[in-house]
Amino acid sequence: MATTYRKTVKGVDEVLTRANRLTPRARNTLILIDAARTDEDIAKLIQVQALETLQQLLQGGFIEVIAVTAAPPQPAALPPADAAASQRAALDFQHLQREAVHRLLDLIGPAGEALAMRMESARDLEQLRPLLVTARAAIANMRGQQVAAGYISALGAL
């Protein structure tokens, strides 16, 4: 069974203000909560003490349960070559997504958190692409065109 969470008002406030001084792991997990990812999805992303961290956020009132669902039926097996290509593409997208968020926050800090959360909720490259354009503009406004071009260039090299 998979559980889906969303941020409470306290959780959104914490992302914006850091008022409760959560640990980095708890804060990063809180940022990943988007009302779409399940606890299983989040566990794949943070990998260390995922369920414990989710429980801590739940008990602290930063997140709330919005759905508990049975595991989805397994899709028909793809031929090995297609399965490997599909898995590589998914891993490549996830790597690009993580790097885009990480670099954005490194370059503009807390001013980029709302955009970072939107980038993290992107399910594919089609959803991520316009957010990268927005990120480039935000970086250009804060750090200049050269830094913004370097951001896009670094992501293109992935």
Side-chain angles (χ1 to χ4, degrees), residues 122-156:
R123 293 288 180 201
D124 57 31
L125 191 55
E126 292 302 315
Q127 291 179 355
L128 184 61
R129 200 172 273 130
L131 298 171
L132 293 174
V133 172
T134 303
R136 184 190 192 291
I139 294 167
N141 284 337
M142 294 184 76
R143 301 283 305 268
Q145 291 293 336
Q146 189 172 14
V147 174
Y151 171 78
I152 295 297
S153 175
L155 295 178

Side-chain angles (χ1 to χ4, degrees), residues 6-27:
R6 71 174 163 211
K7 292 178 192 77
T8 61
V9 172
K10 182 179 179 181
V12 172
D13 184 56
E14 176 61 22
V15 170
L16 296 174
T17 65
R18 300 179 188 223
N20 295 286
R21 300 187 183 269
L22 292 176
T23 65
R25 178 180 299 121
R27 180 170 166 63

Side-chain angles (χ1 to χ4, degrees), residues 27-81:
R27 180 170 166 63
N28 289 338
T29 303
L30 181 61
I31 289 170
L32 291 174
I33 304 295
D34 64 358
R37 289 187 179 107
T38 66
D39 54 352
E40 295 165 352
D41 297 331
I42 292 169
K44 290 175 188 171
L45 294 172
I46 64 171
Q47 298 178 348
V48 177
Q49 297 180 335
L51 298 178
E52 295 86 350
T53 304
L54 286 169
Q55 191 62 32
Q56 173 192 1
L57 292 171
L58 186 62
Q59 290 173 348
F62 297 99
I63 60 175
E64 61 189 359
V65 174
I66 59 169
V68 178
T69 57
Q74 295 298 321
L78 296 171

Side-chain angles (χ1 to χ4, degrees), residues 71-145:
Q74 295 298 321
L78 296 171
D82 289 344
S86 176
Q87 186 176 20
R88 267 193 313 278
L91 290 174
D92 288 346
F93 170 73
Q94 289 173 349
H95 180 67
L96 172 65
Q97 185 180 38
R98 278 193 302 266
E99 281 298 310
V101 168
H102 177 74
R103 290 172 188 266
L104 172 69
L105 294 175
D106 277 352
L107 290 170
I108 63 174
E113 287 181 359
L115 178 56
M117 288 190 300
R118 289 177 39 215
M119 292 169 78
E120 288 171 337
S121 68
R123 293 288 180 201
D124 57 31
L125 191 55
E126 292 302 315
Q127 291 179 355
L128 184 61
R129 200 172 273 130
L131 298 171
L132 293 174
V133 172
T134 303
R136 184 190 192 291
I139 294 167
N141 284 337
M142 294 184 76
R143 301 283 305 268
Q145 291 293 336

